[in-house]
Amino acid sequence: MNKIYALLKSLEEKCLSNEDILKEEINLLKNLLLRFKSSEDRQLRHLYTLSKSFENEIKYEDLLLFIIPVERVLNKRVSDVDFGIKKKDNKNIIQQNDLKIVLDNIRSAFNTGALIRTCEVLGVSEVLTTGYTQGFESEHVLKTSMGARLKISKFRDLLEVKNELKSYKLVGLETSKHSENIYKSKLNKNTAFVIGNEHFGLSDYDLSLCDHVMHLPTFGKKNSLNVNAALSACGYEWVRRFL
Ligand SMILES: C[S@@+](CC[C@H](N)C(=O)[O-])C[C@H]1O[C@@H](n2cnc3c(N)ncnc32)[C@H](O)[C@@H]1O
């Protein structure tokens, strides 16, 4: 099974770098899959049947029909990073908007990378990090941001950010006693949304530094979203009003 997986991954690499998969490689894959012909596992038997339909050509989408079941059988843990989107990016379209995002003490490099990716898609002009939030010096942030590149400035704490962004309204995103529903609140064009730590959220001190504190209304038992989900929803509310 590991041999099949290694072959599939090397074929995936070829697809992602736009190289052709050779007929001999397809045949090698078919030969290796022959062993699944009478497997007890229905999914593996299906892979053998499926392999018979490929002769001269196999596309990336087809290859995934093999890779994903094999990955599952092998209990491979895959994250977004492992299936990097390398094609179809808007290579020349870069619009910088008047929105800034502050990432305040974000612990997980994977969350930070995902947040940066969202920021780039939103056209955010600058990401400001405080405390222990990592930037592109972290390999995990770099990978999870999936090629998103934008200006990241580091600050010690939110007070430093506040002094830097004098012409901006700091809007803390948090579900707190005194927070306003974002859909019913006035937003400024020059806004810097502040996202808090995954576990603790924004501290009382940081909340006191914000010009406004806003929340997304929630309707379930839980009252908080994952940081990136929260940023996406609030970021697009800003986009809806100003772009
Ligand atoms: C998972 S939450 C932090 C935990 C949260 N304070 C709690 O214990 O319920 C992490 C961050 O995501 C953002 N966030 C999550 N849910 C939100 C919501 N409903 N409205 C606005 N921001 C939210 C906030 O910036 C928050 O600091």
Side-chain angles (χ1 to χ4, degrees), residues 172-175 194-202 214-218 223-227 230-231 234:
L173 297 179
E174 197 55 82
T175 44
V194 189
I195 304 280
N197 172 273
E198 298 92 326
H199 187 75
F200 302 107
L202 293 169
M214 295 186 191
H215 67 259
L216 290 157
T218 55
N223 74 348
S224 74
L225 291 133
N226 160 277
V227 280
L231 172 64
C234 295

Side-chain angles (χ1 to χ4, degrees), residues 58-76:
I58 187 161
K59 293 203 277 293
Y60 187 33
E61 294 89 309
D62 305 320
L63 204 56
L64 290 178
L65 299 174
F66 297 98
I67 294 177
I68 293 163
V70 171
E71 249 162 15
R72 288 181 184 157
V73 170
L74 290 174
N75 268 330
K76 295 269 176 206

Side-chain angles (χ1 to χ4, degrees), residues 12-26:
E12 181 182 28
E13 268 306 308
K14 284 188 108 177
C15 285
L16 288 172
S17 46
N18 289 326
E19 281 178 62
D20 289 333
I21 292 179
L22 308 174
K23 189 170 167 28
E24 298 85 82
E25 290 170 318
I26 298 177

Side-chain angles (χ1 to χ4, degrees), residues 4 23 44 51 54 77 93 95 140-141 177 195:
I4 294 175
K23 189 170 167 28
L44 294 182
S51 73
F54 297 101
R77 285 173 60 91
I93 307 168
Q95 183 180 323
H140 295 305
V141 171
K177 235 189 244 163
I195 304 280

